[in-house]
Amino acid sequence: MNFRFQNLLGAPYRGGNTVISNNTLLISPVGNRVAVTDLLKSHTTTLPSQSSSNISRIAVSPDGTFLLTVDDRNRCHFINLSRRVVLHRISFKHPVSVAKFSPDGSLIAVAAGKLVQIWRSPGFRREYFPFELLRTFADFDGKVTTLDWSPDSNYLLAGSKDLTARILYLKKSKKGALRYRPFLLLGHRDSVVGSFFAVEPKTNRVRRAYTVARDGVLFSWGFVDGRVGDAMDAEGSEPESPGTPERDAEGNLNVENGAVKKRKECDGEIDDEEGYLCRGKWELLRKDFLGQAPEKVTACDYHRGLDTLVIGFSNGVFGLYQMPDFVCLHLLSISREKITTVVFNELGNWLAFGCAKLGQLLVWEWRSESYILKQQGHYFDVNCLAYSPDSQLLATGADDNKVKVWTVSSGFCFVTFSEHTNAVTALHFMASNNCLLSASLDGTVRAWDLLRYRNFRTFTTPSSRQFVSLTADQSGEVICAGTKDYFEIFVWSMRTGRLLDVLSGHEGPVHALMFSPTNNILTSSSWDKTVRLWDVFDGKGAVETFPHTHEVLTVVYRPDGRQLACSTLDGQIHFWDPIEGLLMYTIEGARDIAGGRLMTDRRTSANSSSGKFFTTLCYSADGSYILAGGVSRYICMYDVADQVLLRRFQITLNLSLDGVLDFLNSKNMTEAGPLDLIDDDNSDIEDGVDKQTRVNLGFGLPGSLPNRGRPIIQTKCLRIAPTGRSFVAATTEGVLVYSVDESFIFDPTDLDINVTPEAVEEALGENQPSRALVLSLRLNEDSLIKKCIFAVMPGDIPAVARSIPSRYLKRLIEALADLIENCPHLEFVLRWSQELCKAHGNSIQQMSRNLLPSLKSLQKAITRIHQDLADTCSSNEYMLRYLCSSGAKE
């Protein structure tokens, strides 16, 4: 199957700035990727491009076409946002704290360390070096923390850690290449974290400026007309900034058409409009204190049209102020941790907040005081996954003790259960699609009602146990859970919640449980090097044992129940016949799953034996291939019949995680250990520009992880959707969703010289829809298949459905499932589905294994449409009743 990355779920916001594009698209960094959330459609997607480390800064062009991302290693990607492709790449020499597009989109201002660089914005042009450095300002004595453009794109207001803000003029004068000194705004006693230009509504000219310091002091500056500063001549000019072209012997140059010419001296008055903000006088109009001492300002933003300022503090409180009179509109608390980022949308009615320590993103409409978006991913690693039977829902359980349920199509979490008091280790969806089971290390198994969003049943044991595996039989009457500490399997009744039986016999933790899809045999795997089959209902205990030479880590059944696969600690996958009790074949996967080298490893990745095994397995819907993952950056796909590796998916390129590189750089090794593990970061933690970091869990304590909590890349759980069209992986980066690539792939099923698109068109022209449909199915081109389906008259559907050979049923059912989701002709497509099932019922039953993924896709599409129609009809029913009752009263 041609799977490609589709989305990233469950990953929290960990830092960096957020932006809102086109008034409704919220763009935020998530690890080394970028998430785009449509606030109107309630839909989130993740861009497929990856940076080499966690993204710390993003900027979007005014028209929403281009996106600029900068990671912790100062590597920049220039992305076409609509096409979701990387156009250009560049690396900066200094850490980037701010990046902003100019209002006209032609320039990009980048604050790199103590420098402010002006770059020409690349576009769709094919150029050898699209990024062109136009200007560099090196007048700062501290790190530049904030930038703001003037409406005409000629000025920049830059704030710095040197307690000053500077007004920078970007363009050359009309009568020469004169520059103007940056105008300094002095008076703050702490780092400037926000600086903004304010304009007059009528003239759109800059007349005011606001600067916000970290200590909560706000300065309002006013511009006074009059030329108090003169143009800088050659003798009085400051030393040239890095990146500025060299001058000739006379100190002047002008570059035109590649030739260097002298700059003519300026005679007469300089144009009043030229550099007026730097030549004029600025005076302090007002000084205000924001009133949250001793809390610090960590984020701020300004909406120029509304003249409104929003300030976020380190205690989770934000204030909304109407300028220039400094009237407090709102002062509310959204969390107990500091606000990392805050931004207005274009209209100014929505505010987006980010709290890195809680991994939370909020969008708040301040006029109506209501939430537009409130999403929070799992802050710690996701341990387990479960697909609903109709493939529309995905449940996740993590080390943060929470169970979340996501809508796969939208990428949104619609319910969170937090009743567990320890890590959630296993999940299982019941066949009814409305009940979810979860097992935890807190010693409980809980049943959740997805209609009323409540915990309606809790299964416990007489003494405390730690559950690590969970399953239920096909009828949903019996619940089984395996323990980590006492090596037992507990069996409960779903109806009564009573403990029915305790299965003993394993001599190690029971890390996997699964009922056979075809009978009531329970299969368990344990670290005692055995796989055991149990007859739970007859009370016979273990009926058969499959011994292995190494510890068994997990076990799964093929969907038809005629084969089971288990992985062992030596990196092998064993395939057993559960009916005959025979070993069918074995896959040697240690070389395929071999991961990278950890920072603390004494051996190279090739010589190390750690991590060369599979901890999670999952069969495809038709059982033809199997997915395997473990403590590695790879997910392996194997063909079961031929025992060959089909494909390896690399789940991340993020060098911020441990185990991504095969070879480490010896220059990073010091006497104190690896350089990346030495905590020498002396940056101010209260600064609004934070890196994406994970919370300190006490990794420096004795007996803790040797790499100081640096996340290790691994895959903890794999699940394939019942439709077979997608699979999910619970990794260190979050829950990765892969789906079948919908792009055109020429894959004919029965091709000869007479099967061509022209032959299909000819058959349609001769009014032979049956022949045309068979030809299009043989050609296996999606657009032609759908065209032939719609060419059939409603009355001819039964006859055409009977003429379709059974070997083409799978492809035709897939086309019908896609049409139900994306086509307005619902009744026509449902009629096709009905007649196809009537005509080929026996063939569908005989080919159930091969047709199961396609049938699941059709069921998912019909169920989804049914739910939408049910909601619409219910709302219309109540509306009609109301109208009838109101009409009767009149």
Side-chain angles (χ1 to χ4, degrees):
M1 298 292 285
N2 186 29
F3 288 100
R4 62 176 175 85
F5 174 80
Q6 181 189 21
N7 208 350
L8 176 63
L9 305 178
Y13 162 78
R14 297 192 186 275
N17 69 308
T18 59
V19 295
I20 297 180
S21 174
N22 295 332
N23 204 51
T24 59
L25 294 181
L26 176 64
I27 306 174
S28 60
V30 181
N32 66 333
R33 300 178 185 267
V34 177
V36 181
T37 304
D38 192 324
L39 299 176
L40 288 182
K41 298 180 180 179
S42 297
H43 182 272
T44 181
T45 57
T46 306
L47 302 184
S49 60
Q50 297 187 63
S51 297
S52 60
S53 60
N54 290 333
I55 296 175
S56 58
R57 288 281 105 183
I58 60 175
V60 66
S61 60
D63 59 358
T65 304
F66 301 115
L67 177 69
L68 186 79
T69 66
V70 184
D71 61 19
D72 292 340
R73 297 174 180 263
N74 310 324
R75 297 176 180 176
C76 171
H77 284 180
F78 192 79
I79 302 172
N80 185 338
L81 196 55
S82 58
R83 298 297 300 273
R84 303 171 51 161
V85 294
V86 178
L87 300 180
H88 308 291
R89 294 175 174 86
I90 190 175
S91 294
F92 295 105
K93 297 181 180 179
H94 305 280
V96 175
S97 56
V98 188
K100 280 193 175 182
F101 280 85
S102 62
D104 58 6
S106 61
L107 302 174
I108 302 174
V110 177
K114 298 180 181 180
L115 306 178
V116 174
Q117 298 177 339
I118 310 300
W119 298 80
R120 182 175 62 85
S121 175
F124 296 104
R125 301 178 299 274
R126 293 186 177 181
E127 300 172 288
Y128 178 73
F129 190 74
F131 279 92
E132 179 185 354
L133 181 61
L134 303 179
R135 193 77 178 271
T136 302
F137 296 92
D139 306 313
F140 299 89
D141 297 327
K143 176 183 175 182
V144 180
T145 56
T146 176
L147 294 173
D148 189 42
W149 286 91
S150 63
D152 57 2
S153 302
N154 291 333
Y155 300 90
L156 267 178
L157 180 57
S160 172
K161 280 191 173 182
D162 61 5
L163 315 185
T164 66
R166 289 171 168 84
I167 300 176
L168 310 175
Y169 182 58
L170 307 183
K171 291 190 175 182
K172 299 178 181 179
S173 64
K174 297 180 180 179
K175 299 185 179 181
L178 297 178
R179 296 190 300 134
Y180 299 97
R181 291 181 184 274
F183 195 98
L184 270 67
L185 304 179
L186 306 174
H188 282 292
R189 298 185 179 181
D190 206 339
S191 302
V192 178
V193 296
S195 57
F196 311 100
F197 280 123
V199 299
E200 291 182 347
K202 295 182 180 180
T203 62
N204 202 33
R205 289 171 57 90
V206 175
R207 282 293 181 266
R208 296 190 312 278
Y210 306 117
T211 56
V212 182
R214 195 170 62 97
D215 57 3
V217 176
L218 169 66
F219 284 0
S220 298
W221 303 88
F223 176 72
V224 180
D225 288 327
R227 195 182 69 170
V228 299
D230 203 356
M232 296 171 57
D233 55 14
E235 296 180 358
S237 61
E238 297 180 350
E240 293 298 333
S241 305
T244 304
E246 297 181 358
R247 300 179 181 274
D248 59 11
E250 298 182 10
N252 299 322
L253 64 79
N254 187 18
V255 181
E256 296 179 2
N257 300 325
V260 179
K261 299 182 179 180
K262 289 185 178 181
R263 179 179 60 185
K264 295 183 179 180
E265 293 184 357
C266 176
D267 51 353
E269 293 293 330
I270 298 178
D271 188 356
D272 290 338
E273 296 296 328
E274 187 176 316
Y276 73 99
L277 293 183
C278 294
R279 295 186 292 109
K281 179 181 178 181
W282 289 84
E283 60 182 16
L284 181 61
L285 302 179
R286 183 168 178 169
K287 178 180 177 181
D288 295 289
F289 181 67
L290 299 177
Q292 288 293 316
E295 304 298 336
K296 303 297 184 181
V297 176
T298 55
C300 56
D301 193 28
Y302 173 73
H303 192 275
R304 195 167 291 160
L306 299 178
D307 200 10
T308 304
L309 187 69
V310 60
I311 307 291
F313 297 93
S314 57
N315 59 350
V317 175
F318 79 92
L320 195 64
Y321 304 93
Q322 182 66 55
M323 307 303 290
D325 297 329
F326 198 68
V327 178
C328 183
L329 302 177
H330 288 281
L331 190 64
L332 298 174
S333 174
I334 60 173
S335 69
R336 296 182 180 179
E337 303 295 338
K338 71 174 182 178
I339 298 174
T340 311
T341 179
V342 60
V343 64
F344 276 102
N345 69 335
E346 295 178 8
L347 296 180
N349 56 339
W350 292 350
L351 286 168
F353 299 94
C355 183
K357 199 165 185 179
L358 297 179
Q360 193 173 39
L361 277 177
L362 305 174
V363 178
W364 191 65
E365 187 175 10
W366 61 273
R367 287 192 174 94
S368 63
E369 300 185 7
S370 60
Y371 283 111
I372 304 299
L373 171 73
K374 191 175 183 180
Q375 286 288 303
Q376 183 178 15
H378 289 290
Y379 198 80
F380 302 123
D381 289 349
V382 178
N383 295 324
C384 47
L385 303 167
Y387 259 113
S388 63
D390 60 1
S391 301
Q392 295 191 33
L393 305 180
L394 178 69
T396 58
D399 285 336
D400 59 2
N401 313 340
K402 295 180 180 179
V403 176
K404 291 180 176 289
V405 185
W406 309 77
T407 303
V408 178
S409 58
S410 66
F412 267 60
C413 171
F414 65 89
V415 63
T416 300
F417 302 111
S418 55
E419 279 80 355
H420 282 296
T421 58
N422 209 327
V424 180
T425 55
L427 293 170
H428 182 80
F429 257 104
M430 304 297 284
S432 62
N433 207 60
N434 297 323
C435 178
L436 174 67
L437 300 176
S438 64
S440 171
L441 294 180
D442 63 3
T444 63
V445 174
R446 297 178 182 269
W448 311 94
D449 187 349
L450 297 184
L451 295 179
R452 299 174 179 86
Y453 305 139
R454 63 185 181 92
N455 175 210
F456 69 92
R457 187 88 73 228
T458 301
F459 306 96
T460 58
T461 56
S463 58
S464 179
R465 297 289 189 270
Q466 289 185 320
F467 295 113
V468 291
S469 55
L470 176 68
T471 190
D473 69 327
Q474 297 295 320
S475 63
E477 295 293 332
V478 173
I479 310 299
C480 299
T483 59
K484 177 181 180 181
D485 41 8
Y486 288 90
F487 321 143
E488 298 169 330
I489 301 174
F490 290 86
V491 183
W492 294 274
S493 170
M494 183 66 179
R495 290 182 177 272
T496 63
R498 295 178 55 186
L499 181 63
L500 301 178
D501 198 0
V502 179
L503 305 179
S504 302
H506 278 298
E507 299 176 358
V510 184
H511 268 269
L513 287 174
M514 191 173 184
F515 270 99
S516 171
T518 56
N519 52 44
N520 294 323
I521 297 297
L522 174 67
T523 303
S524 63
S525 66
S526 172
W527 290 1
D528 61 2
K529 305 178 183 180
T530 63
V531 172
R532 297 175 185 263
L533 305 184
W534 309 80
D535 192 340
V536 178
F537 292 89
D538 292 341
K540 297 180 181 180
V543 296
E544 194 163 1
T545 301
F546 300 152
H548 298 77
T549 58
H550 292 77
E551 288 80 356
V552 183
L553 304 178
T554 187
V555 64
V556 290
Y557 265 102
R558 198 168 67 181
D560 62 358
R562 298 181 180 179
Q563 185 184 87
L564 63 85
C566 59
S567 64
T568 54
L569 197 60
D570 59 348
Q572 294 185 353
I573 303 177
H574 303 270
F575 295 89
W576 294 83
D577 185 343
I579 301 176
E580 301 294 335
L582 301 176
L583 179 65
M584 303 175 66
Y585 28 78
T586 302
I587 293 178
E588 296 277 353
R591 291 179 178 269
D592 303 328
I593 195 62
R597 183 177 180 180
L598 303 182
M599 288 292 180
T600 54
D601 281 351
R602 298 294 182 182
R603 302 176 181 177
T604 62
S605 59
N607 297 328
S608 176
S609 60
S610 62
K612 294 184 177 180
F613 50 83
F614 301 105
T615 58
T616 177
L617 299 174
C618 186
Y619 269 103
S620 63
D622 58 358
S624 61
Y625 61 89
I626 191 170
L627 290 175
V631 187
S632 170
R633 66 182 187 274
Y634 294 117
I635 298 174
C636 299
M637 177 187 290
Y638 292 98
D639 183 272
V640 176
D642 298 330
Q643 302 98 54
V644 295
L645 179 67
L646 298 177
R647 185 178 175 186
R648 285 201 309 180
F649 300 90
Q650 184 168 350
I651 57 181
T652 186
L653 303 174
N654 192 356
L655 299 182
S656 300
L657 305 177
D658 212 356
V660 176
L661 290 177
D662 289 325
F663 303 97
L664 302 181
N665 193 340
S666 60
K667 293 189 298 183
N668 295 330
M669 183 60 68
T670 64
E671 295 179 356
L675 192 62
D676 291 339
L677 300 183
I678 299 177
D679 188 9
D680 60 347
D681 189 8
N682 58 356
S683 63
D684 194 343
I685 61 173
E686 294 297 338
D687 191 359
V689 186
D690 285 341
K691 294 181 180 179
Q692 296 195 55
T693 56
R694 302 191 178 218
V695 69
N696 184 10
L697 299 178
F699 288 114
L701 298 176
S704 62
L705 294 178
N707 62 348
R708 295 182 181 271
R710 184 185 177 96
I712 300 175
I713 186 64
Q714 60 180 316
T715 302
K716 291 190 174 183
C717 186
L718 287 169
R719 291 293 181 267
I720 295 181
T723 60
R725 305 286 293 177
S726 64
F727 75 88
V728 291
T731 68
T732 311
E733 287 279 76
V735 180
L736 303 178
V737 182
Y738 291 84
S739 63
V740 176
D741 193 351
E742 300 295 342
S743 58
F744 174 74
I745 299 175
F746 184 64
D747 186 20
T749 57
D750 189 8
L751 190 63
D752 59 33
I753 193 173
N754 296 322
V755 180
T756 61
E758 291 76 11
V760 176
E761 297 291 345
E762 182 181 354
L764 290 176
E766 296 176 357
N767 197 18
Q768 298 179 1
S770 178
R771 177 170 170 266
L773 182 57
V774 172
L775 288 175
S776 64
L777 290 171
R778 293 176 63 184
L779 195 61
N780 199 13
E781 186 173 342
D782 187 67
S783 59
L784 285 178
I785 294 175
K786 294 177 180 178
K787 183 177 181 180
C788 295
I789 290 176
F790 286 116
V792 180
M793 299 298 293
D796 298 335
I797 292 178
V800 176
R802 287 192 296 270
S803 66
I804 302 298
S806 58
R807 61 179 178 271
Y808 301 137
L809 286 177
K810 181 178 180 180
R811 186 65 188 90
L812 184 56
I813 294 175
E814 290 176 354
L816 293 176
D818 187 55
L819 285 175
I820 289 180
E821 290 186 343
N822 304 311
C823 170
H825 309 291
L826 180 59
E827 183 182 359
F828 180 78
V829 182
L830 288 177
R831 178 77 182 278
W832 254 107
S833 304
Q834 182 183 20
E835 296 299 334
L836 203 63
C837 293
K838 287 182 179 180
H840 298 277
N842 294 331
S843 300
I844 291 175
Q845 187 174 5
Q846 295 173 3
M847 303 166 57
S848 59
R849 176 183 169 185
N850 294 329
L851 294 179
L852 184 61
S854 303
L855 294 174
K856 287 282 187 179
S857 299
L858 184 63
Q859 180 191 13
K860 173 186 174 182
I862 295 176
T863 304
R864 184 176 178 181
I865 291 295
H866 178 267
Q867 291 176 353
D868 294 341
L869 289 177
D871 295 340
T872 304
C873 294
S874 298
S875 60
N876 288 339
E877 178 183 0
Y878 297 136
M879 180 62 71
L880 289 174
R881 288 183 180 179
Y882 170 75
L883 293 176
C884 293
S885 61
S886 61
K889 291 180 181 179
E890 293 179 357

